[in-house]
Amino acid sequence: MRQTLPLGSMAGVPVRAHWSALGIAALIVVLLGTTVLPRAVPGYGQAQYWLVAAITGTLFMASLLIHEAAHALIARRRGLRVGSVTLWVLGGYTEMEEEAKSPRVELATAAAGPLASLGIAAVTLLAYVFLPRPALAASAAGWLSTMNLLLGLFNLLPGAPLDGGRVLHALLWWRFGDAARADRAAARAGQMLGTTLISVGLASTFLWNWLSGLWLAFLGWYIAMSARQELTVKIARAGLRGLRVAEVMTPVPDLAPAWMNVEKLIEGVVLHSRQTVFPVVTLTGAAVGSVSLDTLAAVPPQRRGSTRVEALTTTQRPVRTLAPDDEAALLLEQPAQGQLIAVVVDDRRLVGMVTDADLRRALGQSLLRTGADVTT
Ligand SMILES: [Zn+2]
């Protein structure tokens, strides 16, 4: 996730906030300061409402962090590598660099977050009960308690990618003894949950409160989409397991020299090639990007002689370079930009390339080999 603000680190795990989390924090403070607190405990000055709203908003964001920290800490204690914790528009997100190796580890890691939220709900409930009233502080504690209760319960809903979906996955994995079967069942549950939330959200948009209705529908859409996406990635990872990049790549591809003009490239290379995309290389042989048939077709014929190939190469980041012996699963780690996924370099020579068509073929073949059932 880009556009994030570093907040520091918790137990060695970097913590960041996406700009959308700052927007949500501001929205919460405004709602508390102008509506929630003045309605719950009237009679204070506006400055006092704002002060308590700001503190409560900050504590709420902190409670989101505690939820994520619980996931991250338990995962690390069970020997899993944790990438980072990010706060964003839908709360927090803990990026795991590897998957749990047993149902027990997955269960503990997934349940830790909601349990932390429910714990915070209990503590703030005590504060609400015992603080003197009618006080602003007690009311703020009550609000924090309610929000954390909702957060804990919502996250326990049984559908991937929510924590409850992971709990469900762990239980099914333990019961079936088959992680792939549990993947499909948890993804199906996630899609059903997402669809249900969308329907409830849309109904409530018209019947009750449009803002929370739309919010619920958006959450539902996100859950359904992520459940589907996660399953696709898991199936792809399983399909590429054990394969090397050399087994997936197009060997010795035709290249597009950066210094050549488009006319020469078309006549000398493209028209005699079976490729639809060509790695662009410099004089030293380094790959700097790619050109596709579509890019070349966009150059008007009268300008082909005066346009160099390098002028057509647009790269947002350097071309991915892998070695023939690298694991093919590495190809899934970054989303492809355009058709060329990676070039394969051995001893500084470009020995192959992997296109999205190569990757799709490899996945299709592996499904045929294993006869896996991928219906979702
Ligand atoms: Zn969580």
Side-chain angles (χ1 to χ4, degrees), residues 262 265-266 270 278 291-300 304 309 312:
V262 169
L265 179 74
I266 292 175
V270 176
F278 301 82
V291 283
S292 65
L293 294 188
D294 294 339
T295 332
L296 292 170
V299 181
R304 285 179 185 168
V309 170
L312 303 178

Side-chain angles (χ1 to χ4, degrees), residues 58-339:
T58 311
L59 287 175
F60 178 68
M61 297 317 274
S63 63
L64 291 181
L65 275 181
I66 293 172
H67 174 115
E68 297 308 319
H71 287 306
L73 286 177
I74 296 291
R76 275 179 52 130
R77 273 184 53 182
R78 304 276 172 144
L80 295 177
R81 275 177 290 139
V82 180
S84 61
V85 166
T86 308
L87 287 182
W88 69 305
V89 66
L90 295 181
Y93 173 73
T94 300
E95 183 207 0
M96 309 287 278
E97 286 184 345
E98 56 185 334
E99 288 179 7
K101 291 176 187 75
S102 72
R104 189 188 284 261
V105 172
E106 182 173 43
L107 182 63
T109 306
L115 289 180
S117 294
L118 295 177
I120 299 171
V123 171
T124 42
L125 178 66
L126 286 180
Y128 172 70
V129 171
F130 288 110
L131 280 172
R133 75 207 45 228
L136 265 180
S139 170
W143 183 85
L144 276 174
S145 180
T146 313
M147 293 310 280
N148 275 286
L149 179 69
L150 290 176
L151 193 70
L153 293 181
F154 182 80
N155 271 293
L156 281 174
L157 289 177
L162 293 179
D163 296 331
R166 308 215 188 283
V167 169
L168 175 72
H169 180 268
L171 295 174
L172 293 174
W173 183 7
W174 172 70
R175 172 134 174 75
F176 298 155
D178 178 351
R181 196 171 153 202
D183 287 346
R184 293 193 292 276
R188 204 157 35 225
Q191 282 171 305
M192 271 159 52
L193 177 66
T195 317
T196 311
L197 290 181
I198 293 173
S199 326
V200 173
L202 289 182
S204 121
T205 302
F206 295 112
L207 301 175
W208 180 48
N209 180 326
W210 67 271
L211 185 62
S212 51
L214 282 183
W215 182 244
L216 206 58
F218 173 63
L219 270 176
W221 167 79
Y222 173 77
I223 288 169
M225 187 199 67
S226 316
R228 180 149 204 100
Q229 220 169 40
E230 260 189 37
L231 185 65
T232 313
V233 171
K234 276 187 169 162
I235 290 174
R237 242 192 235 142
L240 294 180
R241 196 165 293 147
L243 284 180
R244 302 277 146 196
V245 169
E247 296 167 88
V248 177
M249 71 182 188
T250 300
V252 206
D254 297 321
L255 303 175
W259 64 90
M260 204 179 250
N261 70 44
V262 169
E263 188 173 5
K264 281 223 174 81
L265 179 74
I266 292 175
E267 280 164 13
V269 180
V270 176
L271 293 181
H272 315 286
S273 176
R274 299 181 57 87
Q275 293 167 210
T276 56
V277 63
F278 301 82
V280 175
V281 290
T282 60
L283 271 175
T284 59
V288 290
S290 63
V291 283
S292 65
L293 294 188
D294 294 339
T295 332
L296 292 170
V299 181
Q302 66 274 19
R303 294 193 33 206
R304 285 179 185 168
S306 59
T307 308
R308 279 180 172 228
V309 170
E310 66 187 340
L312 303 178
T313 314
T314 47
T315 41
Q316 275 121 344
R317 56 180 168 205
V319 186
R320 274 200 87 184
T321 306
L322 294 172
D325 280 340
D326 282 339
E327 285 175 32
L330 286 176
L331 292 164
L332 299 170
E333 266 179 17
Q334 284 170 16
Q337 291 186 333
Q339 295 179 49

